[in-house]
């Protein structure tokens, strides 16, 4: 099938690569010339395991090409995927300007019959909006239909999520369009759910909002565990064993970040307020999430700080992990950002390390009061405490004896609960984590 993908961001590139790999002819378009030049010369502009190989293979085998010419791509394709950015505006509303621009490009180049598939995360009603834009600006006598096909991939495992999703959702208003989409997805072995466009649009936001709610819920339970002396890991296991609840996506920590959950929850609240019923539950979800960092920093101050406006003045803190989650260099809404800012505001000097996100982190956090280090051991050198902010695998396997030797104060504050408390105690390190009692070094309990 001849497919055009508008947008070469996360979703656009992964969609292009995967559809090409399934034997389709794909043209991926972006208005950013530099990005397209990079892609043409084999450079992948984002960090995503497995993506560069997939892009290169399919480019080499001539099933995938990149262009800045939407005209060429649209006129040559039967199916057009809109995969452009939908960033937040102030107040949570979704900025649809890139969707609008994409719809105008399609309208200007309408020939034959096109199926226009919205894969960008867009508020309910955007399918109609795209249809209206195309009707208004259409040029030529082609026909079209609009379909919604939300994407559920996660950064860091985007390829395997795309190839093995839990479900594919197709929102269509005609059987013909739905069956064209079903044809594209024929190689997939998973449940495919065909519904109307409005429902498909809400499915995407409701899924992300539910997952965010699950995280805030277990974080609120973690607060309760901290005060009562219970263990949130045990509680999550016991609660999650109920199949109706499930144990996945139930890890307490510093809260959710990234380019999707924070903006999508805000957008759903905005939409719910705009069209009527409101969604107060989600306001609480956001508030719990926003309070994670100050609560965590309070515990650091309580243990290694003093009084006054700069309670951490003179303290050196190692920060292990900066990316919003492992396997990505993405710093968007990373919890490390408010964490580092608050620690610096309180007077701390930071020694930060991340396996791949340091360059992106520097752009956001700058270099004042933060020294970026070459390894976890390097960042621990002479620090009064180490803080785990991202659960990178290499931190789980750290030699804790080496960490203790490097630290001047052997204390770890673990915002992601990556260690078994007894293991840290055995290494002679005091351990403070989320929703579990602190443990002292062995022999000092
Ligand atoms: C999320 C969804 O999981 C995808 O299904 C969706 O397609 C994507 O948003 C999107 O809308 O584009 P992603 O943002 O890549 O994917 O990251 P997740 O792996 O879902 O993690 C989100 C945040 O939740 C991270 O900050 C992570 O640390 C946090 N999290 C996750 C927890 O705090 N606890 C958990 O148990 C799981």
């Amino acid at each position: 099938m001849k497919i055009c993908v508008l947008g070469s961001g996360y979703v656009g590139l992964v969609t292009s690569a995967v559809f090409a790999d399934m034997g389709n002819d794909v043209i991926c378009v972006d208005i950013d010339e530099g990005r397209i030049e990079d892609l043409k010369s084999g450079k992948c502009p984002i960090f995503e395991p497995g993506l560069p190989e997939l892009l290169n293979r399919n480019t080499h085998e001539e099933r995938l090409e990149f262009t800045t010419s939407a005209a060429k791509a649209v006129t040559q394709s039967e199916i057009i995927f809109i995969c452009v950015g939908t960033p937040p505006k102030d107040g949570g509303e979704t900025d649809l300007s890139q969707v609008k621009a994409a719809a105008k490009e399609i309208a200007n180049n309408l020939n034959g019959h096109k199926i226009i598939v919205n894969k960008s995360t867009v508020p309910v009603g955007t399918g109609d909006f795209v249809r209206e834009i195309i009707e208004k600006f259409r040029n030529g006598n082609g026909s079209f239909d609009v379909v919604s096909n939300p994407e559920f991939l996660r950064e860091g495992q985007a390829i395997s999520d795309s190839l093995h999703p839990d479900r594919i959702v197709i929102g269509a208003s005609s059987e013909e369009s739905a069956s064209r989409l079903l044809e594209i997805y024929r190689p997939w072995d998973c449940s495919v759910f065909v519904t109307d466009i409005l429902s498909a649009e809400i499915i995407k936001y409701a899924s992300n909002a539910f997952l965010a709610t699950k995280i805030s819920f277990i974080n609120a339970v973690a607060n309760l565990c901290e005060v009562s002396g219970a263990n949130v890991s045990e509680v999550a296991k016991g609660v999650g064993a109920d199949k109706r609840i499930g144990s996945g996506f139930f890890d307490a920590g510093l809260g959710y970040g990234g380019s999707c959950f924070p903006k999508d929850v805000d957008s759903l609240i905005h939409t719910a307020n705009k069209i009527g019923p409101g969604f107060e539950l989600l306001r609480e979800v956001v508030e719990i999430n926003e309070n994670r960092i100050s609560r965590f920093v309070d515990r650091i101050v309580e243990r290694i700080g003093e009084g006054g406006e700069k309670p951490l003045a003179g303290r050196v803190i190692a920060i292990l992990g900066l990316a919003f989650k492992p396997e990505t260099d993405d710093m968007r809404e990373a919890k490390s950002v408010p964490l580092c800012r608050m620690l610096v505001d309180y007077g701390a000097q930071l020694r930060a390390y991340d396996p791949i996100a340091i360059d992106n982190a520097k752009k956001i956090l700058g270099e004042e009061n933060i020294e970026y280090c070459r390894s976890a051991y390097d960042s621990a050198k002479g620090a009064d405490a180490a803080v785990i902010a991202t659960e990178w695998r290499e931190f789980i396997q750290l030699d804790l004896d080496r960490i203790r030797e490097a630290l001047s104060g052997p204390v770890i504050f673990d915002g992601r609960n990556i260690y078994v408390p007894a293991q840290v105690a055995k290494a002679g390190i005091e351990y403070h984590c989320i929703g579990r009692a602190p443990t002292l070094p062995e022999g000092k309990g």
Side-chain angles (χ1 to χ4, degrees):
M1 228 174 272
K2 290 192 179 309
I3 294 174
C4 157
V5 174
L6 296 177
S8 69
Y10 239 100
V11 172
L13 278 184
V14 174
T15 301
S16 300
V18 167
F19 282 148
D21 214 48
M22 293 294 170
N24 298 289
D25 290 319
V26 180
I27 310 185
C28 178
V29 188
D30 205 292
I31 52 172
D32 183 337
E33 283 177 20
R35 200 171 173 95
I36 290 298
E37 280 315 310
D38 279 353
L39 284 161
K40 278 182 176 167
S41 63
K43 268 188 237 150
C44 180
I46 53 178
F47 177 88
E48 181 61 43
L51 182 59
E53 294 79 0
L54 208 58
L55 291 173
N56 286 336
R57 184 167 78 229
N58 284 284
T59 316
H60 185 70
E61 291 171 10
E62 297 182 352
R63 285 187 297 267
L64 174 59
E65 64 172 294
F66 299 98
T67 179
T68 51
S69 168
K72 170 185 160 180
V74 170
T75 49
Q76 287 182 12
S77 307
E78 323 156 44
I79 307 211
I80 300 157
F81 282 86
I82 299 181
C83 299
V84 296
T86 49
K89 290 192 205 173
D90 285 346
E93 190 179 353
T94 298
D95 178 353
L96 289 176
S97 55
Q98 292 179 47
V99 173
K100 190 173 175 183
K104 278 189 185 170
E105 284 287 5
I106 297 167
N108 285 334
N109 297 290
L110 206 60
N111 64 330
H113 182 72
K114 310 283 174 193
I115 297 179
I116 295 143
V117 190
N118 221 336
K119 225 182 208 318
S120 300
T121 299
V122 289
V124 61
T126 304
D128 290 338
F129 171 74
V130 167
R131 184 185 305 277
E132 283 159 22
I133 297 288
I134 299 177
E135 286 296 358
K136 188 168 163 195
F137 294 96
R138 59 185 294 155
N139 202 347
N141 49 11
S143 57
F144 71 96
D145 194 13
V146 176
V147 173
S148 166
N149 173 220
E151 180 54 65
F152 300 101
L153 63 80
R154 286 165 292 180
E155 287 184 24
Q157 48 209 89
I159 305 293
S160 73
D161 278 356
S162 297
L163 293 173
H164 311 285
D166 287 345
R167 78 304 205 186
I168 289 164
V169 174
I170 297 169
S173 53
S174 78
E175 262 181 43
E176 301 88 88
S177 297
S179 63
R180 292 300 277 157
L181 264 280
L182 286 172
E183 243 173 84
I184 293 188
Y185 283 113
R186 202 168 23 210
W188 271 257
D189 181 21
C190 68
S191 68
V192 181
F193 181 56
V194 179
T195 182
D196 61 279
I197 298 175
L198 299 175
S199 301
E201 289 169 340
I202 291 194
I203 285 171
K204 171 65 193 181
Y205 278 99
S207 301
N208 275 4
F210 188 85
L211 291 169
T213 304
K214 205 172 173 192
I215 296 169
S216 279
F217 183 88
I218 198 65
N219 283 331
V221 171
N223 292 347
L224 200 60
C225 291
E226 277 163 22
V227 177
S228 63
N231 178 333
V232 75
S233 306
E234 296 294 304
V235 174
K237 230 183 266 169
V239 175
D242 185 326
K243 284 199 192 74
R244 293 170 302 174
I245 297 171
S247 57
F249 236 75
F250 212 29
D251 294 326
L254 296 179
Y256 60 81
S259 64
C260 305
F261 285 175
K263 106 174 151 65
D264 292 350
V265 174
D266 285 350
S267 174
L268 190 54
I269 295 172
H270 182 273
T271 303
N273 287 338
K274 189 171 141 196
I275 66 179
F279 213 146
E280 284 306 303
L281 170 68
L282 292 181
R283 285 196 190 282
E284 189 64 25
V285 167
V286 172
E287 198 170 324
I288 292 169
N289 196 52
E290 283 175 352
N291 290 338
R292 295 310 289 154
I293 294 301
S294 55
R295 192 179 163 89
F296 188 62
V297 171
D298 284 350
R299 290 176 59 199
I300 298 175
V301 169
E302 200 177 295
R303 174 61 189 83
I304 64 164
E306 284 165 9
E309 266 184 29
K310 301 270 178 204
L312 293 173
R315 298 286 184 272
V316 177
I317 298 177
I319 304 290
L320 305 194
L322 295 162
F324 91 90
K325 67 170 187 178
E327 304 303 329
T328 179
D329 62 353
D330 197 339
M331 286 294 297
R332 285 176 291 177
E333 299 287 330
K335 286 293 182 177
S336 65
V337 173
L339 171 71
C340 290
R341 285 188 177 143
M342 196 173 269
L343 292 172
V344 166
D345 272 358
Y346 283 177
Q349 289 287 330
L350 306 182
R351 295 177 59 77
Y353 168 70
D354 187 282
I356 56 171
I358 287 181
D359 287 344
N360 287 342
K362 280 182 185 170
K363 290 178 206 151
I364 299 175
L365 287 166
E367 301 195 41
E368 209 178 319
N369 300 311
I370 306 183
E371 187 180 335
Y372 295 91
C373 302
R374 284 170 289 112
S375 70
Y377 301 110
D378 184 25
S379 76
K381 257 185 218 156
D384 295 287
V387 169
I388 312 284
T390 314
E391 64 277 33
W392 282 99
R393 246 184 318 219
E394 66 172 72
F395 300 156
I396 300 171
Q397 297 303 338
L398 281 179
D399 177 344
L400 291 176
D401 289 326
R402 264 182 83 187
I403 291 288
R404 184 199 60 245
E405 282 159 19
L407 288 168
S408 74
V411 187
I412 290 181
F413 294 93
D414 181 356
R416 300 292 178 182
N417 285 3
I418 64 173
Y419 298 120
V420 175
Q423 168 198 5
V424 189
K426 196 165 171 217
I429 299 174
E430 185 177 322
Y431 185 52
H432 298 258
C433 43
I434 302 285
R436 305 188 296 198
T439 45
L440 293 175
E442 242 174 38
K444 294 202 179 167

